Amino acid sequence: MTRIDDTFARLKAEGKKAFVAYVMAGDPDYETSLQIVKALPEAGVDIIELGMPFTDPMADGETIQLAGQRALEGGQTLDKTLQIARELRKDDDKTPIVMMGYYNPIWSRGVDTFLAQAKEAGIDGLIIVDLPPEEDDELCIPAQKAGLNFIRLATPTTDDKRLPKVLQNTSGFVYYVSITGITGAAEAQAADVGPEVARIKAQTDLPVIVGFGIKTPEAAQAIAGVADGCVVGSAIVAQIAAGKTVAEIAAFVAGLAAGAHRA
């Protein structure tokens, strides 16, 4: 059982849906980013997705691309991203942290070295968007052996023939991408998402969390209502880009979390 498994078990017992928040590590700078991450659990975040800045973020829209650029320009590194997790763990041993990003920085570090460091830092899971199931031996299988969940993305174009392959080594939860395209590009619609979530849940016992295109508490409530929870990323990152204070960002996140928890 990982912290992710424990969190979903607790939420199920409480009759609540999960709220997952994404932030880019090191955006707008290391210290501010650390303070934002530390504020997320108190704002109602059940799982933290910590973005790993990368020079070629092909699945991300402009908002998160720019966040990654700000972080890299500010000197953010993989080591500093792991350090953010370590700092959170000094005060919080319950909130799961999922590192989200691309394979290149992990491959450059060396898979075994990275996994050992991630586990030591208190990381609970990985979402690596550019590693398909055909490459499971690269990272997915080693990660699960190291005690980390490997969370896979399913999309509107993942048909019934492809879905079992996507699900076969997934653990923690399934991340359903509600729209085709890049992050932050359009608004998710519960009427479209609901049947797709049901289709996925017919083939797995894992929770299904929906992300992409959720920007308001009302949208969080609607999407969480047809899934096991929702993820908000670009809308939070946009608040950071606008120069809002940590307190203002936490208040914005609290509104989104309350929406998801009302579902």
Side-chain angles (χ1 to χ4, degrees):
M1 292 283 284
T2 65
R3 290 185 187 91
I4 295 171
D5 300 325
D6 289 343
T7 294
F8 280 112
R10 173 181 59 79
L11 290 168
K12 186 175 183 180
E14 294 173 358
K16 290 169 69 176
K17 302 300 180 73
F19 180 69
V20 184
Y22 170 97
V23 293
M24 179 67 73
D27 178 36
D29 56 71
Y30 175 84
E31 194 55 44
T32 306
S33 177
L34 175 58
Q35 294 310 313
I36 292 168
V37 169
K38 285 185 171 183
L40 294 177
E42 195 171 331
V45 172
D46 299 301
I47 298 172
I48 297 169
E49 274 185 22
L50 193 57
M52 295 184 285
F54 180 53
T55 52
D56 187 22
M58 60 188 180
D60 293 310
E62 184 179 20
T63 301
I64 291 178
Q65 282 190 23
L66 290 173
Q69 287 179 20
R70 288 192 298 270
L72 290 170
E73 288 168 5
Q76 188 68 12
T77 62
L78 184 55
D79 286 331
K80 287 185 176 181
T81 300
L82 291 168
Q83 189 58 32
I84 287 175
R86 289 188 194 96
E87 293 296 330
L88 179 69
R89 286 285 170 250
K90 290 178 181 179
D91 303 310
D92 182 334
D93 194 43
K94 291 186 177 179
T95 306
I97 306 171
V98 176
M99 290 180 73
M100 184 171 185
Y102 299 84
Y103 183 46
N104 185 276
I106 296 171
W107 178 83
S108 298
R109 172 70 45 107
V111 167
D112 291 344
T113 299
F114 168 78
L115 291 174
Q117 292 173 341
K119 186 70 176 173
E120 175 270 327
I123 300 298
D124 303 285
L126 301 173
I127 300 175
I128 307 301
V129 299
D130 57 345
L131 272 184
E134 287 75 14
E135 306 294 336
D136 274 358
D137 287 342
E138 286 279 332
L139 181 63
C140 173
I141 302 301
Q144 307 223 66
K145 286 180 179 175
L148 298 174
N149 289 127
F150 197 88
I151 296 144
R152 188 82 68 193
L153 303 178
T155 74
T157 60
T158 307
D159 60 21
D160 288 337
K161 183 178 179 181
R162 178 68 173 169
L163 187 57
K165 186 74 172 176
V166 170
L167 295 174
Q168 71 179 4
N169 289 318
T170 299
S171 65
F173 60 92
V174 179
Y175 187 135
Y176 178 68
V177 177
S178 63
I179 54 175
T180 54
I182 53 177
T183 58
E187 292 193 18
Q189 301 296 326
D192 299 328
V193 169
E196 290 297 298
V197 171
R199 183 170 68 92
I200 296 167
K201 290 181 76 68
Q203 296 200 38
T204 181
D205 292 330
L206 291 170
V208 179
I209 305 298
V210 177
F212 286 46
I214 302 166
K215 302 174 182 178
T216 65
E218 294 75 21
Q221 181 175 356
I223 296 298
V226 297
D228 295 300
C230 67
V231 184
V232 178
S234 294
I236 298 169
V237 173
Q239 295 283 309
I240 298 169
K244 299 293 180 71
T245 66
V246 173
E248 288 170 332
I249 293 163
F252 178 77
V253 171
L256 293 164
H261 292 149
R262 282 195 298 269

